[in-house]
C-alpha cells in the first residue's frame, strides 16, 4: 500500500460472444438496471428518481434485475409502501440470455451504483448499443465510460440529478443514437480481446524486465 507508482490497469475483457439478443428495442421508453438490493447499488435512489421521471414521461418503464429485486422482495415492498412502484417491474434474478435481452430491449441502462471496481453490465450494455447513464464519482464507472465520452455521467446520489439526466436522454433520440454508437465503438476498442490480451502481455514483459538478474 506504500507503493506510490501508478499501477497498470488491466480491465476485464469484453465478453463479445454474448450472442444476438432475440428482442428488439422497446417501442416505448424503457430503463433497465442490473444490480442487487444492497445499499451500494443505490436502488432506492433510482426508484425515487424514476418517480420524478414518470411525472414527465408517463409511458416510461423501469425494469430491475438481480438478487433481492424480486416482486416479493423487501425492497419491492418498500417501493409499494412509498408509492414508488408505478411503472416498475421487479424481475429478480434472470439467466444470462434474459439479462442480455433486457439490456437490448431498454433505451437506457441506468447504473445507479455508488461505487464499482469495474461494472460488467456497463460493458455489456455498450456492446449491445444501449446507452449508459452512470455515476460521475462511482469508482471505475467514469473510466469505463471514457470520462463521459461513451456514456452519460451524473450524480447518482441525487434523485434530482439522476431524474433530470434520464428525462433528458429519453427525450432526445439523437443523443441516444450518439451514445449508442460511441459506447459500442469504445467498448470494442478499449475492452476487446485483442486489446486486453496486449495489455496483459505488456504487463508480464515489464515485470520480467524489472526482475532480470534478480535471484528468486
Amino acid at each position: 500500500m506504500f507503493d506510490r507508482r501508478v499501477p497498470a490497469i488491466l480491465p476485464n475483457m469484453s465478453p463479445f460472444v454474448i450472442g444476438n439478443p432475440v428482442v428488439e428495442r422497446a417501442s416505448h421508453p424503457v430503463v433497465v438496471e442490473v444490480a442487487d438490493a444492497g445499499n451500494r447499488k443505490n436502488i432506492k435512489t433510482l426508484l425515487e428518481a424514476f418517480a420524478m421521471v414518470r411525472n414527465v414521461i408517463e409511458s416510461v418503464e423501469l425494469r430491475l434485475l438481480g438478487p433481492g429485486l424480486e416482486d416479493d422482495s423487501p425492497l419491492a415492498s418498500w417501493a409499494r409502501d412509498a408509492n414508488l412502484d408505478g411503472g416498475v417491474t421487479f424481475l429478480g434474478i434472470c439467466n444470462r440470455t434474459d439479462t442480455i435481452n433486457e439490456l437490448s430491449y431498454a433505451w437506457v441502462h441506468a447504473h445507479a451504483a455508488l461505487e464499482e471496481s469495474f461494472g460488467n453490465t456497463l460493458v455489456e450494455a455498450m456492446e449491445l448499443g444501449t446507452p449508459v447513464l452512470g455515476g460521475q464519482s462511482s469508482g471505475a464507472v467514469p473510466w469505463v465510460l471514457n470520462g463521459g465520452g461513451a456514456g452519460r455521467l451524473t450524480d447518482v446520489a441525487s434523485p434530482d440529478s439522476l431524474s433530470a439526466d434520464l428525462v433528458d436522454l429519453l427525450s432526445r433520440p439523437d443523443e441516444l443514437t450518439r451514445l449508442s454508437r460511441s459506447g459500442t465503438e469504445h467498448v470494442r476498442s478499449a475492452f476487446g480481446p485483442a486489446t486486453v490480451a496486449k495489455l496483459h502481455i505488456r504487463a508480464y514483459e515489464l515485470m520480467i524486465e524489472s526482475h532480470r538478474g534478480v535471484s528468486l
Side-chain angles (χ1 to χ4, degrees):
M1 298 297 292
F2 293 97
D3 189 342
R4 301 305 182 189
R5 292 174 297 178
V6 177
I9 298 176
L10 303 178
N12 291 355
M13 186 179 296
S14 169
F16 206 75
V17 282
I18 58 178
N20 295 318
V22 296
V23 298
E24 297 180 353
R25 199 76 67 195
S27 59
H28 63 287
V30 173
V31 178
V32 68
E33 169 65 307
V34 184
D36 59 48
N39 291 335
R40 302 309 294 173
K41 296 300 184 181
N42 202 32
I43 298 300
K44 287 185 177 181
T45 301
L46 177 60
L47 287 166
E48 292 170 358
F50 182 72
M52 299 180 192
V53 176
R54 286 261 297 176
N55 289 333
V56 181
I57 307 173
E58 294 183 0
S59 61
V60 68
E61 178 184 1
L62 174 63
R63 299 173 69 80
L64 299 174
L65 288 70
L69 302 178
E70 295 82 5
D71 190 57
D72 60 353
S73 65
L75 196 146
S77 296
W78 173 88
R80 282 188 281 270
D81 291 342
N83 198 28
L84 296 174
D85 61 325
V88 181
T89 302
F90 291 88
L91 294 168
I93 298 174
C94 296
N95 62 36
R96 180 157 180 77
T97 297
D98 289 342
T99 300
I100 293 303
N101 287 337
E102 290 290 340
L103 284 169
S104 178
Y105 182 69
W107 286 26
V108 174
H109 171 31
H111 193 71
L114 297 172
E115 63 181 12
E116 285 287 357
S117 59
F118 185 71
N120 284 333
T121 62
L122 304 174
V123 171
E124 292 172 343
M126 287 190 286
E127 283 185 358
L128 294 163
T130 300
V132 175
L133 174 65
Q136 62 191 18
S137 301
S138 300
V141 172
W143 183 78
V144 173
L145 297 182
N146 197 27
R152 177 75 65 90
L153 296 173
T154 191
D155 180 4
V156 293
S158 165
D160 289 335
S161 295
L162 189 50
S163 62
D165 275 293
L166 275 172
V167 168
D168 183 67
L169 285 175
L170 295 172
S171 303
R172 295 175 56 194
D174 59 332
E175 181 65 0
L176 289 176
T177 298
R178 185 188 71 81
L179 287 178
S180 174
R181 291 173 178 169
S182 62
T184 300
E185 290 170 0
H186 177 62
V187 77
R188 292 180 178 178
S189 63
F191 307 119
T195 299
V196 175
K198 288 178 181 177
L199 290 173
H200 277 79
I201 291 170
R202 183 56 180 159
Y204 280 117
E205 289 174 343
L206 292 173
M207 189 182 302
I208 292 169
E209 184 63 30
S210 67
H211 287 81
R212 284 192 189 279
V214 176
S215 208
L216 299 178

